[in-house]
Amino acid sequence: MEHFILTIALDTPLDRVFDYRWAAQQEGEPVPQAGQLALVPFGRQEVMGLIVEVGHTTDVPADKMKDVLAVRSQVPPLSAHWLALCGFAADYYQRPLGEVAIPALPKNLRAAKPTSLLNSLKKLAKAGLDNDASPNTEPGLNPAQQHAVDAIAGSSRFAAHLLYGVTGSGKTEVYLQASARILQQSAEGQILILVPEINLTPQLESHLRSRFSGIQIATLHSGMAEGERLRHWLAAHLGQARIVLGTRLAILSSLPHLKMIVIDEEHDPSYKQQEGLRYSARDLAIWRARQLDIPVVLGSATPSLESWLHARTGRYNKLALPERAVKNAVLPAVTLINTEREKAQNGITPTLIVAMRKRLEKGEQSLLFLNRRGYAPVLACDACGWISNCTRCTAHLVLHKGDRSLRCHHCGLEQRIPRSCPTCGNIDLQPLGRGTQRIEEGLQAIFPEARVFRIDADSTRLKGSAEAAFDTVHRGEVDILIGTQMVAKGHDFKNLTLVGALNPDTALFSQDYRASERLFAQLMQVAGRAGRAATKEGGNPSEVLVQTRYPQHPLYHWLMAHNYDRFADDLLEERRQAGMPPYIYQALLRAEARELQIALDFLQEAAVCIEHPGITMNDPIPMTMTRVANMDRAQLLVESPSRPALQAFAKLWISQLRAMKTRVKWSVEIDPVDI
């Protein structure tokens, strides 16, 4: 009986693939194909791998060759395009192919036994195949929206469209109507829509299902149960789901008939994975669209500077939506409250309190934005100066009053609030600073008759709690909403007419050069929640009040004018003069060790282990958050004006780093966003 050699990628740190022997167990058994999964022995384990090549020869000696245990033939193989996408991601981000491809697949698909896979296939078969892509009633578009839909749906080949529209300008409607046109042009065509966060999927999914009731719609994100995720992934892989909605992990899903990709809020840093394979879903989406020769839409009211530069230089097609979608709608007025002159009580100035009271009297909703959860950033003793530091990190333990705990938001360490100061015994411990819980408590005292509601990572820990919380706001059962960045984007609160930003100044002086860009985006996004139904003729006139000690800062000047164009142009010029991204390309080597000096010594050795002409090698330094979970961390930043030169260097450099004998845990990130 004829034998075949299967070359298989496994999820291991080893940068190589592995050969296994396969022989048919019975007459007529089909030969495995590239793109199928195979169960193989690896060490003392049995693991699932991805077949990348089928041949007859191998360099592995016959006495060391191991046999394939099983091939998952129940589903069609993953396409050559999908394998190429994973290959590109592995090559660009300098990771083994198996570390990219295998984790991208649902966990239950990779299980040793196919029980869950077979059950999911049965459920999909029973569900049948609805394939009427005709949209239900579509609202009329304004001229700018119509132009955008025509440009996107009329793209017969690859084109990157930057859909740049003010908040409330109807970007979602452009996505929906462009999708409808493309789905009707192709009987099998599929659309992939990405959103930055899980809590944004329910609202958009509801829009999609009401608009396209005759087709299957799948969702993919990390909050799904494994069985549910497998079923939705299979619906996309088999071509049954015509629209797939997901977070960043969905960019690596299998869509054999993909015709358009949409990246909503394309500027959002959540599209960059911060663990394991540190990929950018936005950048992979653009590469995938180019590979398939299809249009890709990047939507944002505050585009990333990378996308803004590409639009300015003509690489991207800029489609502007300068007005809100509601006829004669007006943007909210932005006013600055100088906290040097007007002192805040419980974190809220008298001017903001008066504005909130007016909204309460009118039966309208208010939103207070504070990007710091918990009750207070730190607990302190006035007598001796003790503060609640984390014993495992260079960070404070945050006070959470509800469950009477001190909690580290970096390593998860949790302690009970001490009855007295651990250093001097003083029982009068005081919270310093304000988090969302403390603001909530203060508001309940100021407005005892109001329905005050808080949405942050603490209040939405349980599955489905975030969706339920936002539904509560949409139903009008909330008068004052307090929230972190979770509430700042994508949500359409019809009766919300006042937004207050409580403590935005900290980002103005951050060591992170991207901080001002992110702050402007956050403030523009949260301001956009206000007055989405307000018009020149009436409705609810809306306003945004920003509490700041630095009202003369240029960022606030452009925010008041709702002028992202000038802000982005000024920031790009600063980046160009300073030699920072997007005018330069970066890689970051991080090192972790029990002692900081060990990590720094490793980085110093790494800096000289290879010649680097044309590459700027910065000095090793401790990371801003130096210690996390009892591990000291340091970093080494590498830069080049040429992306190909940086890639070529990184490939050689990483091979040298792997050859170094060290106990230091290290990783290299390409295009870092958090330095």
Side-chain angles (χ1 to χ4, degrees):
M1 188 173 290
E2 188 176 12
H3 291 74
F4 289 87
I5 302 300
L6 306 187
T7 302
I8 295 177
L10 301 177
D11 184 9
T12 78
L14 301 173
D15 192 11
R16 51 166 296 198
V17 289
F18 302 85
D19 287 348
Y20 287 87
R21 181 174 51 220
W22 179 89
Q25 300 299 309
Q26 54 191 8
E27 197 68 32
E29 185 176 353
V31 177
Q33 303 175 54
Q36 287 184 312
L37 296 178
L39 186 67
V40 297
F42 187 73
R44 297 181 180 180
Q45 297 178 303
E46 294 179 357
V47 297
M48 192 65 71
L50 176 67
I51 302 172
V52 295
E53 191 176 336
V54 179
H56 291 88
T57 60
T58 179
D59 295 332
V60 180
D63 60 333
K64 293 188 177 180
M65 179 66 67
K66 294 183 179 181
D67 292 314
V68 172
L69 302 175
V71 174
R72 288 286 175 268
S73 57
Q74 295 90 345
V75 292
L78 293 150
S79 70
H81 282 126
W82 188 85
L83 292 174
L85 173 67
C86 292
F88 168 78
D91 188 57
Y92 184 80
Y93 293 108
Q94 306 289 340
R95 301 298 288 259
L97 176 60
E99 280 196 340
V100 176
I102 304 301
L105 303 172
K107 188 175 180 180
N108 285 5
L109 184 66
R110 298 179 268 137
K113 295 182 179 180
T115 308
S116 181
L117 172 61
L118 296 174
N119 289 338
S120 295
L121 289 171
K122 287 179 182 177
K123 289 179 180 178
L124 287 174
K126 288 180 180 178
L129 182 61
D130 297 324
N131 200 20
D132 179 7
S134 302
N136 299 325
T137 305
E138 292 181 328
L141 301 176
N142 62 37
Q145 288 176 305
Q146 189 63 58
H147 171 71
V149 170
D150 292 341
I152 296 165
S155 303
S156 58
R157 307 197 64 178
F158 167 75
H161 301 283
L162 178 62
L163 186 63
Y164 168 51
V166 298
T167 52
S169 59
K171 292 186 288 291
T172 300
E173 192 57 42
V174 171
Y175 304 153
L176 294 178
Q177 296 204 22
S179 296
R181 292 257 296 267
I182 289 175
L183 290 175
Q184 289 175 308
Q185 292 167 11
S186 171
E188 295 181 321
Q190 295 175 296
I191 305 290
L192 174 61
I193 302 177
L194 300 183
V195 293
E197 294 182 6
I198 293 173
N199 69 72
L200 295 176
T201 56
Q203 183 172 282
L204 185 50
E205 183 181 359
S206 175
H207 288 317
L208 288 168
R209 292 192 184 281
S210 62
R211 181 66 57 86
F212 301 102
S213 56
I215 58 174
Q216 282 194 41
I217 296 171
T219 53
L220 290 170
H221 56 73
S222 59
M224 303 173 72
E226 288 299 336
E228 183 183 23
R229 182 181 169 192
L230 174 59
R231 192 163 63 254
H232 284 243
W233 184 92
L234 285 170
H237 175 62
L238 297 173
Q240 295 180 10
R242 301 289 304 281
I243 298 178
V244 175
L245 171 65
T247 53
R248 63 174 177 260
L249 63 80
I251 191 56
L252 291 172
S253 57
S254 171
L255 294 121
H257 310 296
L258 187 57
K259 297 300 180 185
M260 183 178 75
I261 304 175
V262 174
I263 307 114
D264 191 30
E265 310 291 2
E266 66 87 25
H267 67 276
D268 199 292
S270 299
Y271 282 121
K272 184 69 187 285
Q273 171 77 12
Q274 289 300 310
E275 297 175 354
L277 172 68
R278 294 173 179 256
Y279 66 92
S280 165
R282 180 197 65 203
D283 295 350
L284 286 183
I286 294 165
W287 189 91
R288 190 172 190 179
R290 185 184 294 276
Q291 171 206 31
L292 298 174
D293 207 19
I294 61 174
V296 57
V297 183
L298 298 89
S300 178
T302 54
S304 64
L305 289 191
E306 288 81 2
S307 297
W308 191 254
L309 179 61
H310 289 328
R312 280 183 54 182
T313 56
R315 289 188 63 186
Y316 293 176
N317 176 32
K318 186 171 130 181
L319 301 171
L321 303 179
E323 298 179 352
R324 286 194 154 180
V326 175
K327 189 176 181 180
N328 295 322
V330 291
L331 290 167
V334 179
T335 303
L336 304 181
I337 302 174
N338 189 341
T339 53
E340 285 289 290
R341 298 176 181 174
E342 186 174 340
K343 298 302 179 184
Q345 300 172 353
N346 294 320
I348 307 172
T349 57
T351 297
L352 182 53
I353 291 173
V354 169
M356 293 170 67
R357 182 163 281 118
K358 288 180 180 178
R359 303 295 165 175
L360 277 172
E361 291 170 355
K362 293 181 180 181
E364 298 167 3
Q365 293 174 317
S366 301
L367 164 63
L368 295 189
F369 172 69
L370 175 64
N371 208 19
R372 184 184 291 278
R373 61 190 173 98
Y375 184 82
V378 64
L379 189 66
C381 173
D382 291 336
C384 70
W386 172 86
I387 57 175
S388 56
N389 286 326
C390 177
T391 56
R392 304 193 300 193
C393 307
T394 49
H396 300 309
L397 293 175
V398 177
L399 173 61
H400 288 255
K401 191 175 181 182
D403 54 6
R404 295 195 54 77
S405 69
L406 295 171
R407 194 179 306 153
C408 179
H409 291 174
H410 300 278
C411 73
L413 176 67
E414 191 168 324
Q415 298 177 355
R416 300 296 294 172
I417 297 175
R419 295 181 180 275
S420 59
C421 174
T423 303
C424 69
N426 175 27
I427 60 172
D428 188 21
L429 300 179
Q430 297 295 324
L432 297 181
R434 288 172 179 81
T436 50
Q437 292 179 7
R438 192 174 187 185
I439 295 297
E440 179 185 24
E441 182 181 88
L443 283 172
Q444 288 169 340
I446 297 169
F447 302 108
E449 75 285 2
R451 296 168 296 179
V452 179
F453 197 64
R454 172 172 53 88
I455 297 182
D456 56 23
D458 295 317
S459 66
T460 56
R461 283 183 171 182
L462 300 178
K463 183 179 179 180
S465 58
E467 184 177 355
F470 284 112
D471 285 344
T472 302
V473 182
H474 288 303
R475 289 195 302 267
E477 298 173 10
V478 173
D479 297 316
I480 302 174
L481 173 64
I482 309 137
T484 57
Q485 62 180 353
M486 287 181 66
V487 304
K489 51 202 168 191
H491 299 286
D492 190 2
F493 303 124
K494 300 294 185 184
N495 197 36
L496 181 68
T497 58
L498 172 67
V499 169
L502 298 189
N503 188 25
D505 289 340
T506 52
L508 296 177
F509 308 102
S510 170
Q511 78 286 345
D512 182 0
Y513 70 90
R514 296 181 187 270
S516 60
E517 178 186 358
R518 291 174 179 169
L519 174 61
F520 193 92
Q522 279 186 345
L523 292 177
M524 282 280 281
Q525 292 289 335
V526 75
R529 300 314 105 206
R532 295 169 77 92
T535 65
K536 297 173 185 176
E537 289 77 19
N540 301 326
S542 58
E543 60 182 334
V544 177
L545 302 180
V546 180
Q547 297 184 170
T548 174
R549 295 177 63 187
Y550 308 97
Q552 303 304 317
H553 196 284
L555 182 148
Y556 294 129
H557 172 74
W558 297 125
L559 179 71
M560 292 175 68
H562 294 278
N563 195 335
Y564 180 77
D565 300 55
R566 287 295 304 275
F567 171 77
D569 287 344
D570 288 353
L571 205 52
L572 270 179
E573 181 58 22
E574 286 181 18
R575 298 274 187 90
R576 188 190 65 79
Q577 293 180 13
M580 291 181 174
Y583 295 98
I584 201 165
Y585 303 97
Q586 298 177 325
L588 189 68
L589 173 60
R590 292 184 177 92
E592 293 185 6
R594 289 292 180 184
E595 296 179 16
L596 179 60
Q597 193 57 49
I598 295 174
L600 290 170
D601 289 345
F602 167 79
L603 293 179
Q604 195 64 57
E605 187 179 353
V608 297
C609 72
I610 186 175
E611 295 291 328
H612 48 84
I615 301 293
T616 300
M617 189 82 66
N618 292 280
D619 292 334
I621 58 171
M623 293 180 65
T624 305
M625 183 68 65
T626 306
R627 192 168 183 81
V628 172
N630 289 326
M631 295 293 285
D632 283 340
R633 312 185 305 163
Q635 64 186 28
L636 172 63
L637 182 64
V638 179
E639 299 176 303
S640 172
S642 166
R643 192 195 298 267
L646 182 64
Q647 281 287 316
F649 165 76
K651 190 176 291 292
L652 293 173
W653 193 36
I654 290 173
S655 65
Q656 287 293 113
L657 295 176
R658 287 185 175 132
M660 290 170 58
K661 293 183 179 180
T662 179
R663 293 185 178 181
V664 172
K665 182 180 178 182
W666 59 270
S667 65
V668 173
E669 179 179 1
I670 306 297
D671 301 334
V673 296
D674 185 16
I675 300 176

